[in-house]
Amino acid sequence: NKEGAALVVNERMFNMPQELAVPLMQGLFDEIRWSKDEKAGTKEVPGGYQFKHFVFLSRFLKDGEAGEGKGGGRKRKKKSGGGGGGEDVYVKAEDEIVRKAAEIWYEFPLLNKEGENGMSWYGLVAVLPAAKVPGVLAGLVSVVGDLAIQNQKALD
């Protein structure tokens, strides 16, 4: 289907260095691009993988005072303003970058996950247009650097 969407569940381990986010994300999108090139028109995948959007699932911490109430969530278009006060804390840098580039996103409280220091865990669903992937990767490099990629190139 040429209007397809891919589901990306981002559960990278918290204790992994942030610098690994760049090669992991780059590798994911390289694999998708390569599979499109290699499998286009095969029996397994007629027309290849043609994703127009990527739906990211992840989680982040939010100031406990900023919650919208039990069980509630917030749905927003990209350019909508803040609101509710409080600060979002992204344990994984790529989550914040994806959220900022997302066409639309939705956050919801994870009722069975208690945070620390007045923070609460929230789930995040963010819909990223495929055309924005290069910008997300560039943004990630600008935030955490590309040390892992430089080291790999040095080994090659």
Side-chain angles (χ1 to χ4, degrees):
N1 182 339
K2 292 187 179 191
E3 300 297 319
L7 179 63
V8 180
V9 180
N10 190 8
E11 284 297 319
R12 182 173 57 80
M13 294 173 45
F14 293 140
N15 60 353
M16 274 185 144
Q18 291 282 10
E19 293 82 10
L20 289 179
V22 174
L24 290 172
M25 290 283 279
Q26 182 69 52
L28 170 68
F29 291 111
D30 282 349
E31 286 289 327
I32 291 168
R33 184 174 39 86
W34 293 332
S35 67
K36 180 173 77 172
D37 295 341
E38 293 170 5
K39 299 214 181 244
T42 66
K43 270 186 173 179
E44 298 92 26
V45 186
Y49 296 111
Q50 305 276 333
F51 299 120
K52 292 283 186 182
H53 292 87
F54 294 94
V55 180
F56 282 80
L57 297 179
S58 194
R59 56 191 165 134
F60 66 99
L61 287 163
K62 180 181 279 296
D63 184 347
E65 303 292 317
E68 293 280 322
K70 270 193 166 177
R74 292 189 302 175
K75 183 177 180 180
R76 293 190 181 167
K77 292 279 185 179
K78 178 184 173 191
K79 297 201 185 267
S80 65
E87 187 173 332
D88 297 342
V89 176
Y90 296 90
V91 180
K92 300 177 298 264
E94 61 270 30
D95 292 341
E96 183 173 12
I97 294 166
V98 166
R99 181 177 183 172
K100 286 180 179 177
E103 190 171 84
I104 189 169
W105 54 268
Y106 181 78
E107 65 184 42
F108 54 94
L110 298 174
L111 300 177
N112 294 331
K113 295 287 273 182
E114 289 294 322
E116 295 180 23
N117 301 326
M119 304 291 278
S120 299
W121 283 105
Y122 274 70
L124 172 67
V125 178
V127 180
L128 181 71
K132 291 191 175 184
V133 167
V136 167
L137 292 172
L140 189 56
V141 167
S142 72
V143 170
V144 300
D146 64 351
L147 184 60
I149 291 173
Q150 290 174 9
N151 289 341
Q152 182 60 37
K153 286 180 182 177
L155 293 173
D156 290 343

